[in-house]
Amino acid sequence: MSAENNPGTENSTAADSSAHIHISYIVKTGIGHGELNETVDINQESDVHTFSITSNAQATGIFKIINPGSIIRSSQGIVTEKGLKPTRYSDQRTNSNSSLALFDWEKEILTLKHGTEEKQTPLQAGTLDRLSLSYHFIFSCTHELQAGNLLGIHVTDGRSLQLMQFKISSEKLSTPLGELDTIVLTKLRNSDDKIQRKIWLAPDYHMIPVHIQSVEKDGLDVDKMIAELHIDYATDITCCTQ
């Protein structure tokens, strides 16, 4: 990452302005490696900030032979004083059924679509999708992220809605960006819960997730480590909306 794009050298934060964030991750799984590019765009419309997050994962090497194609996820919504408030989330995979989540905050209804199946469930306050979860803390207050605290968040993957409990801790982490002080969110599990999640957030880089480890529903281990980070933002716009 070039020095002029290093957010650690700026006084402004991404939450204070319109922004474009591009992150490249190296992905390791139990059956091979891949590359993941994610972009976060924050735009102002009148006095409202909207967000759009896009994630594009591509397999490489032997993993590409075993699991060809790509996984494209996207999340859109608005930025509030409490963080991200998604309105739409999608998960599209080559040769697989896509998933879609629609957030109706006025009626408090979450619509989930997977393949030909569709269902509705009550929309809980503060619900995030699995993509906006990773970037929510760039824009939210950090007083909850104190070591030893527990944090509960409802999260959807487009197929179901789950209340996730995270334990907060801190850790020094070696990354391609250097050794970083990080805030770590570790998902607590019960005996029936197959999904694991651990997220390392970097305070020196606006709480951007620099490392993510997970075990998916199908049992696949996934390890994402940041490789490159670029941020562009204007500093003359105030954020946010309720």
Side-chain angles (χ1 to χ4, degrees), residues 193-213:
D193 187 2
K194 296 181 179 179
I195 300 175
Q196 299 180 35
R197 194 84 73 233
K198 192 172 182 180
I199 304 171
W200 285 257
L201 306 173
D204 288 343
Y205 289 86
H206 308 313
M207 291 296 182
I208 284 171
V210 292
H211 190 199
I212 300 175
Q213 290 180 339

Side-chain angles (χ1 to χ4, degrees), residues 70-81:
S70 61
I71 301 174
I72 300 175
R73 298 187 177 104
S74 67
S75 177
Q76 295 90 38
I78 63 172
V79 184
T80 79
E81 292 179 347

